[in-house]
Amino acid sequence: MSISGSGCELVFNDQETRPLQEIERSIIKKFRKQIWKNFITALKNYQLVEEGDKIAVCISGGKDSLLMAKLFQELQRHGQVKFELEFIAMDPGFHDSNRQQLIKNCAHLNIPVQIFESGIFEVVDRIAKEYPCYMCARMRRGSLYKMARSLGCNKMALGHHFSDVIETTMLNVLYAGNFKTMLPKLRSTNFKEIELIRPMYHIHEDDIKKFALYSGINFINCGCVVAAQKTSSKRREIKELIKGLKVTFGDVEKSIFQSANNVNLNAVLGYKQGQTKHFYLDNYESNEEEE
């Protein structure tokens, strides 16, 4: 049995697949505190879902995106805000077994997914052989935006979770030399009419894994053989680093997350706002030492 949040290995679950009704009930009951409550908290804190929205829920076939789809269905069933949903899945060049597993899982979970093809894996392997992941991610995102726009959606939901946020922050600090986190919502430069939202922003990956194991479903991953063969995972290294830090500092993830909420611009050497770069000496005379 393997449940993985990174890499491209297949994910198998040796538990018996639970009936749809049990899986849906578990979201509200068994995983209410860890998953449902944190889902609702993110929606409220960042105003992610509003009256009249039409949301494209992007499904990769992994545990994160399929859980997100079920969360939205439960919200539509029990929530007070009225909105529409479109479930979309892009086939970038899956092996047929992965595509069939995606179709099977969506059928079992009663998710009316629309699958469209892009052939991105083939294109990326041709034009970005050494470091394909960045190019693949950009092309996937653009393809999903186009599909969402064609369906008349004003928002597009991705399944990034709390652990993704923490890891992205640390990747930027340690490898890119900047402080930048993954935001709960934003507008695309090329698709300004569509807002990207991340409703699983407060849900921990470990809790998603527990839900995945409980469901008994065999989730697929990114399905990319190219990445598995040609790249090392910096994100995996960051996962291991954070795991090690938690041994001596259990709240390290919370502290990393809060650091993005408590940036003191008077105590940084420089920052960028829009296209303008600021240096701390620009306002040095007006700054006072903090007690």
Side-chain angles (χ1 to χ4, degrees):
M1 176 175 55
S2 171
I3 293 291
S4 175
S6 64
C8 294
E9 57 276 347
L10 291 174
V11 180
F12 297 104
N13 195 338
D14 56 12
Q15 305 263 30
E16 183 178 350
T17 303
R18 293 182 184 272
L20 173 63
Q21 293 77 9
E22 288 187 25
I23 293 173
E24 291 178 337
R25 192 182 308 118
S26 74
I27 293 173
I28 303 296
K29 300 292 185 179
K30 182 179 178 65
F31 298 101
R32 185 178 189 87
K33 181 178 179 181
Q34 309 98 310
I35 292 178
W36 179 252
K37 183 179 178 181
N38 284 326
F39 173 68
I40 297 300
T41 297
L43 299 188
K44 291 181 177 179
N45 283 356
Y46 308 114
Q47 301 175 6
L48 301 184
V49 177
E50 299 169 296
E51 190 80 23
D53 280 343
K54 188 172 185 180
I55 304 170
V57 181
C58 299
I59 296 174
S60 67
K63 64 188 188 308
D64 308 331
S65 62
L66 284 172
L67 171 58
M68 178 177 65
K70 295 309 299 179
L71 286 166
F72 269 116
Q73 286 182 326
E74 290 300 310
L75 180 67
Q76 199 172 48
R77 185 178 297 125
H78 301 293
Q80 298 178 344
V81 175
K82 296 191 180 301
F83 59 93
E84 297 179 60
L85 294 172
E86 296 281 357
F87 300 97
I88 62 174
M90 180 195 62
D91 182 348
F94 286 142
H95 187 279
D96 186 62
S97 61
N98 276 342
R99 183 184 176 101
Q100 292 306 313
Q101 188 66 48
L102 170 60
I103 293 171
K104 178 182 178 181
N105 288 346
C106 287
H108 182 76
L109 292 171
N110 192 30
I111 299 170
V113 66
Q114 301 181 58
I115 302 177
F116 65 101
E117 298 181 8
S118 66
I120 285 176
F121 283 170
E122 181 182 352
V123 175
V124 169
D125 191 32
R126 187 172 66 250
I127 67 175
K129 287 182 177 294
E130 295 303 319
Y131 302 99
C133 294
Y134 175 75
M135 180 63 69
C136 182
R138 286 183 61 86
M139 292 180 69
R140 281 184 185 229
R141 186 76 58 85
S143 186
L144 290 167
Y145 268 122
K146 290 176 183 177
M147 185 62 173
R149 182 171 61 185
S150 73
L151 294 170
C153 298
N154 68 308
K155 290 183 179 177
M156 186 174 84
L158 299 182
H160 296 125
H161 47 68
F162 180 84
S163 305
D164 289 324
V165 177
I166 301 306
E167 291 159 14
T168 297
T169 304
M170 293 302 293
L171 278 166
N172 282 317
V173 170
L174 297 179
Y175 291 111
N178 62 48
F179 185 87
K180 185 168 63 174
T181 193
M182 182 182 282
L183 296 174
K185 67 178 181 181
L186 54 90
R187 292 195 181 277
S188 167
T189 303
N190 298 321
F191 299 87
K192 295 184 183 298
E193 71 275 24
I194 300 178
E195 195 171 31
L196 184 151
I197 61 174
R198 295 183 170 106
M200 300 177 75
Y201 203 74
H202 287 309
I203 301 176
H204 291 248
E205 185 179 25
D206 285 345
D207 293 323
I208 300 173
K209 290 179 181 179
K210 292 174 184 175
F211 168 81
L213 288 171
Y214 175 84
S215 73
I217 291 175
N218 291 324
F219 296 95
I220 71 169
N221 58 6
C222 70
C224 179
V225 178
V226 175
Q229 293 177 341
K230 298 184 179 179
T231 65
S232 61
S233 175
K234 294 300 182 187
R235 186 170 291 272
R236 185 179 291 111
E237 293 175 13
I238 292 295
K239 280 181 179 291
E240 290 302 314
L241 173 62
I242 294 173
K243 182 179 178 180
L245 291 172
K246 287 175 69 175
V247 173
T248 54
F249 181 27
D251 286 336
V252 65
E253 290 176 306
K254 181 179 178 181
S255 292
I256 295 170
F257 183 84
Q258 285 302 115
S259 68
N261 284 282
N262 297 309
V263 177
N264 185 342
L265 295 182
N266 290 326
V268 297
L269 293 175
Y271 65 95
K272 183 178 179 181
Q273 188 170 30
Q275 297 301 314
T276 304
K277 291 185 177 181
H278 301 270
F279 185 48
Y280 90 108
L281 288 180
D282 295 343
N283 299 304
Y284 179 75
E285 296 299 329
S286 61
N287 289 341
E288 296 181 354
E289 181 181 3
E290 294 188 7
E291 299 294 336

